[in-house]
């Protein structure tokens, strides 16, 4: 039989491929073939679907940069064989993995669509079937020139395709688990799938995809809060080998105007550490010129994260730090969109 497209379905783990243990009541991963058995609709596709399974499947809470490298290798090694890729992944860290892969797969010319579910695929009310079926359809979709309709890393959930490095998990309980608060949907799936072409990244079609496999995870995230202690902040900043800090600030990028706060940050940036300012708000962006506290942060050497998600900022730092020893180069690229991750 001749198929119009070939899609590789990669199962890393997660709720979508789990079963409930009758003795403990806990969810446990089961064999990937059982997942396919529960979705007989896949046989109706005019798409050849191959499968690859992480062995053993992992809970997404155990996701690591080493696993991101494994996933990047998995896609890069089979890139020429397939028209698109669907990655089944646990929801808890999906936005981190999608963000990391967006940086690790440079000039992506084929879809890499992450999906999963809030309920296991074998349960009657599962959201996994529709998520999986539509993700495969998106991964296989081509335009009139034969190019992929969505040549980027995306997350598909509950009828919406979102840019991977713009996405955050917003709910632990609802089927509407993800949202990209600062960037519109790439596609909306109703009776038809409506692709918003003007929002989708366009690669250099005549050039190859360049995979990257190195990450430097000498980075930490911390949130400011009323009453934060000086000794603890200074302890974090003094951590050996730490190269960068994602600092979650108030509102449009504000911090307490206590002298020690600015002094500690000034010392950190003076010693080559990168401090990036990310808002604790889910929507909106850092505007360091709006209030005096923002000006003080700028003077202390803190750089704006604009409208970046935390997941995107931390994985982008890991990516850039693996390529550049000079912190000034990392700072430069942190303030530039390299995969559509921020709006400057």
């Amino acid at each position: 039989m001749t198929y119009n497209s070939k899609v590789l379905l990669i199962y890393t783990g997660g709720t979508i491929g789990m079963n409930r243990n009758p003795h403990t009541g806990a969810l446990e991963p089961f064999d990937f073939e059982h997942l396919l058995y529960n979705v007989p609709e896949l046989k109706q596709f005019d798409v050849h679907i191959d499968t690859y399974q992480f062995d053993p499947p992992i809970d997404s809470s155990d996701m690591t940069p080493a696993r991101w490298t494994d996933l990047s290798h998995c896609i890069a090694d089979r890139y020429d064989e397939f028209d698109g890729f669907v990655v089944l992944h646990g929801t808890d860290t999906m936005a981190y993995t999608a963000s990391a892969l967006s940086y690790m797969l440079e000039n992506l010319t084929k879809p890499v669509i992450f999906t999963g579910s809030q309920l296991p695929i074998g349960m009657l009310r599962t959201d996994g079937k529709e998520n999986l079926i539509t993700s495969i359809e998106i991964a296989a979709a081509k335009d009139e020139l034969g190019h992929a309709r969505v040549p980027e890393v995306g997350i598909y959930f509950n009828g919406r395709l979102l840019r991977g490095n713009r996405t955050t998990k917003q709910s632990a309980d609802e089927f509407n688990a993800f949202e990209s608060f600062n960037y519109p949907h790439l596609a909306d799936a109703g009776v038809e799938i409506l692709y918003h072409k003007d929002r989708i990244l366009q690669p250099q079609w005549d050039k190859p995809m360049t995979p990257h496999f190195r990450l430097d995870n000498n980075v930490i995230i911390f949130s400011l809060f009323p009453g934060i202690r000086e000794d603890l902040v200074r302890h974090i900043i003094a951590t050996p080998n730490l190269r960068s800090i994602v600092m979650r600030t108030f509102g449009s990028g504000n911090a307490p105007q206590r002298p020690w706060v600015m002094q500690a940050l000034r010392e950190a940036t003076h010693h080559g550490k990168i401090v990036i300012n990310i808002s604790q708000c889910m929507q909106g962006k850092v505007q360091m010129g709006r209030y005096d506290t923002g000006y003080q942060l700028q003077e202390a050497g803190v750089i704006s994260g604009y409208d970046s998600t935390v997941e995107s900022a931390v994985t982008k730092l890991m990516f850039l730090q693996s390529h550049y020893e000079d912190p000034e180069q990392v700072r430069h690229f942190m303030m530039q969109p390299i995969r559509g991750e921020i709006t400057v």
Side-chain angles (χ1 to χ4, degrees), residues 71-281:
L71 189 52
S72 188
H73 272 294
C74 178
I75 292 169
D77 292 348
R78 297 161 179 82
Y79 194 74
D80 293 335
E81 299 175 43
F82 295 93
D83 299 292
F85 302 85
V86 172
V87 182
L88 301 180
H89 192 289
T91 58
D92 286 350
T93 59
M94 187 185 293
Y96 286 96
T97 303
S99 294
L101 266 288
S102 76
Y103 300 119
M104 299 173 80
L105 303 174
E106 182 181 349
N107 197 47
L108 192 61
T109 59
K110 299 176 181 181
V112 176
I113 309 300
F114 281 79
T115 195
S117 66
Q118 296 286 62
L119 289 174
I121 199 92
M123 293 184 68
L124 189 61
R125 293 184 57 249
T126 183
D127 54 327
K129 277 193 179 184
E130 193 277 323
N131 286 346
L132 174 57
I133 290 168
T134 306
S135 293
I136 291 172
E137 187 168 346
I138 291 170
K142 299 177 184 178
D143 64 17
E144 58 278 0
L145 297 176
H147 292 152
R149 286 193 178 275
V150 188
E152 60 173 289
V153 178
I155 290 178
Y156 178 80
F157 235 85
N158 195 45
R160 303 180 299 188
L161 178 66
L162 315 171
R163 176 167 296 162
N165 58 33
R166 291 279 196 159
T167 306
T168 293
K169 185 176 181 182
Q170 68 170 357
S171 175
D173 301 314
E174 298 178 1
F175 288 153
N176 183 24
F178 291 93
E179 185 55 273
S180 55
F181 292 96
N182 291 319
Y183 197 78
H185 306 161
L186 304 182
D188 291 287
V191 175
E192 302 286 340
I193 300 177
L194 176 62
Y195 295 94
H196 305 292
K197 188 174 181 180
D198 59 319
R199 304 171 185 171
I200 297 170
L201 292 175
Q202 294 301 309
Q204 294 179 285
W205 295 105
D206 58 337
K207 295 187 178 179
M209 187 275 288
T210 303
H212 301 276
F213 306 116
R214 291 182 297 126
L215 294 167
D216 178 349
N217 64 344
N218 286 300
V219 57
I220 197 165
I221 303 166
F222 78 78
S223 294
L224 298 178
F225 58 90
I228 191 167
R229 284 174 45 173
E230 178 180 0
D231 58 333
L232 298 182
V233 171
R234 289 190 176 278
H235 182 74
I236 291 170
I237 289 173
T239 302
N241 302 317
L242 180 66
R243 293 184 63 187
S244 57
I245 297 165
V246 176
M247 183 173 66
R248 301 182 68 237
T249 56
F250 307 127
S252 57
N254 304 311
Q257 296 192 53
R258 305 276 293 280
W260 71 260
V261 174
M262 299 304 166
Q263 183 60 30
L265 293 172
R266 195 173 291 113
E267 290 172 8
T269 58
H270 178 73
H271 288 98
K273 290 184 170 65
I274 299 146
V275 183
I276 182 166
N277 186 353
I278 300 290
S279 175
Q280 293 179 24
C281 302

Side-chain angles (χ1 to χ4, degrees), residues 36-91:
L36 298 178
Y37 172 79
N38 277 280
V39 194
E41 295 90 342
L42 295 180
K43 295 178 181 177
Q44 299 176 33
F45 266 119
D46 187 17
V47 177
H48 178 77
I49 302 170
D50 277 353
T51 60
Y52 178 88
Q53 179 173 333
F54 275 35
D55 187 19
I58 57 172
D59 186 290
S60 73
S61 298
D62 292 323
M63 189 55 68
T64 63
R67 292 290 192 177
W68 295 337
T69 297
D70 291 342
L71 189 52
S72 188
H73 272 294
C74 178
I75 292 169
D77 292 348
R78 297 161 179 82
Y79 194 74
D80 293 335
E81 299 175 43
F82 295 93
D83 299 292
F85 302 85
V86 172
V87 182
L88 301 180
H89 192 289
T91 58

Side-chain angles (χ1 to χ4, degrees), residues 245-319:
I245 297 165
V246 176
M247 183 173 66
R248 301 182 68 237
T249 56
F250 307 127
S252 57
N254 304 311
Q257 296 192 53
R258 305 276 293 280
W260 71 260
V261 174
M262 299 304 166
Q263 183 60 30
L265 293 172
R266 195 173 291 113
E267 290 172 8
T269 58
H270 178 73
H271 288 98
K273 290 184 170 65
I274 299 146
V275 183
I276 182 166
N277 186 353
I278 300 290
S279 175
Q280 293 179 24
C281 302
M282 298 184 82
Q283 191 163 9
K285 65 179 180 180
V286 165
Q287 300 182 63
M288 291 170 70
R290 177 177 286 186
Y291 299 104
D292 181 58
T293 179
Y295 279 118
Q296 292 187 43
L297 289 171
Q298 282 181 310
E299 290 177 356
V302 176
I303 61 173
S304 175
Y306 299 98
D307 57 354
S308 175
T309 64
V310 170
E311 297 92 335
S312 178
V314 72
T315 53
K316 185 178 179 181
L317 282 165
M318 290 183 190
F319 172 74

